[in-house]
Amino acid sequence: MSLELQGVSQVVDGQQQIAPTDLVLEKGTMNVLLGPTSSGKTSLMRLMAGLDRPSTGRIFSSGRDVTNEPVQARNVAMVYQEFINYPGMTVFDNIASPLRLKGQSRKEVDRAVRSTAEMLKLTPVLQRKPLALSGGQQQRCALARALVKKAALVLLDEPLANLDYKLREELRVEIPRIFEQAGSIFVYATTEPEEALLLGGNTATLWEGQVTQFGPTLSVYRKPQTLTTAQVFSDPPMNFIQGKKAGDSLSLNGGASLGLRKQSAALSDATYTLGFRAHHIKLQQHEVSQPGSPPLHLQCTLVASEVTGSETFLHLRYGETTWVAVASGTHVMTQGKQVDIWLDGAHLYLFDLTGCLVACGDNAV
Amino acid sequence: MAQITLSDLAHSYVHNGAETGDFALKTLNHVWQDGGAYALLGPSGCGKTTLLNIISGLITPSRGRVLFDGVDMTESPAEKRNIAQVFQFPVVYDTMTVRENLAFPLKNRGLARAAIQARVALIAEMMGLGEILDRKARGLPADAKQKISLARGMVRESVNAILFDEPLTVIDPQLKWELRTQLKSLHRELRHTMIYVTHDQVEALTFADTVVMMHEGRVLQTGTPESLFETPAHTFVGHFIGSPGMNFLEAKIEGSRGVINGQCFPLGANYRTASGFTQIGIRPEYIQFSADEGLPVVVKHVEDVGRRRIVHAELANSPISVSVPEGQFFDNTMARVRFIPDKINIFVDDWRVQGEAL
């Protein structure tokens, strides 16, 4: 099936929770809702599931209007951040419960439960009660229950948020592959850009109840159409600085100026925001892979450095602005030190004052 | 402020527990230096919260002593220890203003008004709370409330230590960056002993100068973030630190070369033959693809996560992951991998062995 939202919005007590939204989700796809806390991820999922009625707009399932159909009639499954299982039942009975409700035969139930359990590595613990399991296994059990009923729409609301870092990593790698086999529409809410990238598929970025962009995950990441989308889809945060454009040069607030190429030189003279990601700041000129024009060279002051093992996060000050750079290897530097950085022209974004992307990559500078 | 010494410490929640299985915390000795920034890192159930509660006095250990600057505090109740604690979820008095919240621990201890004002202003400024000091805490978003909790944890000048129990769990990723830097600069300014408990390696490694890595009630390694990454003492440390974690492959070690499946590769050091289960450990970041050099692999699938691709492959039927930076060439013709010799670690029965320089 496909799920289509046409102008769906939600207003609660006069407050707009979800701005009018159009979205089409296709069968067999993974769709990430990426946004910070209270940006509308859960509200949007509840509308998709039929748990809440939209204030305006229609929802279609494979072309059929289901706007007024209650959740029970819709063939959806949901997994929450909290591990929700029936504590009195074994893992087997937990996974079997949605099938038994549908009145499937014992043999069918047994086969479906065992194959789903196998997929989620729960076979050895099928006879245990959920509370005797680790957090990771409890959430696997909840995932299995959502998958076993082969719902057309499976909604996952930050399902890994309550798990340890390492367990999260393990499940993140497994989840896309498990989902590929299932063929349902998956909607997965997260606050973490890294998680969206690992899940792949499509991503919708959310900000204050508005879907700011929707498309293949990597293309949203590489080509955010607005400054807001760039901010939502960036961890470490994207670095920004404003500059005044005059002709084919952009003078940054902080002193330096850079030459603009055709596409951006043709823009009207005004103030623009230059954006670049933390890992595109280079500490050596030769690390910048740019054919043609020379890379942008800037001098910053070190505010703080954080070593993570393989990499170092450098917090840099340039004029009034602070940036984060990621450098591979260990760089121990004293606070206040002058740091030379080079920016790769192939990875710059130029936004106008309304926050719209006007040029990026090789076309920008 | 104080130096905190844990001497032959162990704890069992079972009365009269026998050493092995019953002990949530196995025998450990550790000195928290005065003014240090520490992280206590490990998965759920590794004993890190037990250890924190023993330091703060919420739990009396089954065995061993807790010393503050040499004074035995093992039996002292929490309120006598002068330790500040910040928890996972904000603990804020909703009816008070932000200023009153910050001043509360100081008022309780009868500090002079002027001293309270000055201290609150300083901490609020450093935590970026200056602008909302006179607002009621009620109605503030969760992250602002957690900032208040953090600031209140740091407001007392005379504390022996500040303990943080997963304080950034409820914070959005973007804000974590801001709060982490603020915590770090606060540590630099105030020089309190800070112990930060977390299961999140990025938080632990970025915050701490010294990381204490725990697993199953045992301290596996204490060291700098770099040493945990480069030379993990145990395979679990190698696995836990880094994303994806270190790759482990069963290998034969012959002096300064390793052998997997009959194929040799150079090591960065010389090793004496050791008995036991021998593995090499190599990080995904230190493996390079090659068309004609190194060991043959079968590529299974590739994840593009923007700034790098993570290639999942099989080498001699064992899974390995390789990290390929953005912009670096990689395609299917590259069916071999090279390990950077200096970056290979050798583990015997899960513990790292030190080689001799070549």
Side-chain angles (χ1 to χ4, degrees), chain A residues 58-101:
Chain A
R58 318 297 310 165
I59 298 175
F60 298 89
S61 173
S62 301
R64 192 169 58 86
D65 189 335
V66 294
T67 317
N68 292 315
E69 260 182 28
V71 61
Q72 296 85 346
R74 284 214 207 168
N75 194 17
V76 295
M78 243 177 135
V79 178
Y80 301 88
Q81 181 174 342
E82 298 77 23
F83 315 140
I84 299 175
N85 294 299
Y86 301 106
M89 294 184 189
T90 61
V91 171
F92 186 99
D93 291 336
N94 261 285
I95 304 174
S97 64
L99 303 180
R100 288 182 180 146
L101 277 175

Side-chain angles (χ1 to χ4, degrees), chain A residues 36-37 164-166 169 177 191 197-198 222 231-232 234-236 279-280 306-311 315 330 335, chain B residues 43-44 172-174 177 180-181 188 199 201 205-206 226 229 239-240 242-243 245 301 304-307 326:
Chain A
T37 310
D164 270 10
Y165 193 89
K166 265 288 146 173
E169 200 177 283
R177 269 174 283 165
T191 59
L197 287 166
L198 282 166
R222 293 230 162 93
Q231 275 172 314
V232 170
S234 196
D235 182 31
H279 65 283
H280 290 136
E306 305 171 305
V307 178
T308 70
S310 60
E311 304 177 314
H315 297 253
T330 306
Q335 215 191 331
Chain B
S44 320
D172 281 344
Q174 273 86 349
W177 285 89
R180 273 202 338 243
T181 353
R188 221 172 15 233
H199 62 81
Q201 48 157 327
L205 300 182
T206 49
E226 198 189 351
F229 187 84
H239 156 78
F240 199 83
S243 325
H301 70 278
D304 191 336
V305 294
R307 43 185 296 224
E326 183 184 50

Side-chain angles (χ1 to χ4, degrees), chain A residues 144-179:
Chain A
R145 217 175 49 238
L147 284 170
V148 78
K149 62 192 249 201
K150 304 228 180 314
L153 177 64
V154 182
L155 301 155
L156 306 127
D157 196 356
E158 299 191 43
L160 306 186
N162 282 4
L163 291 176
D164 270 10
Y165 193 89
K166 265 288 146 173
L167 283 171
R168 241 182 257 175
E169 200 177 283
E170 212 178 283
L171 267 167
R172 264 178 199 157
V173 175
E174 282 176 47
I175 280 176
R177 269 174 283 165
I178 292 168
F179 291 173

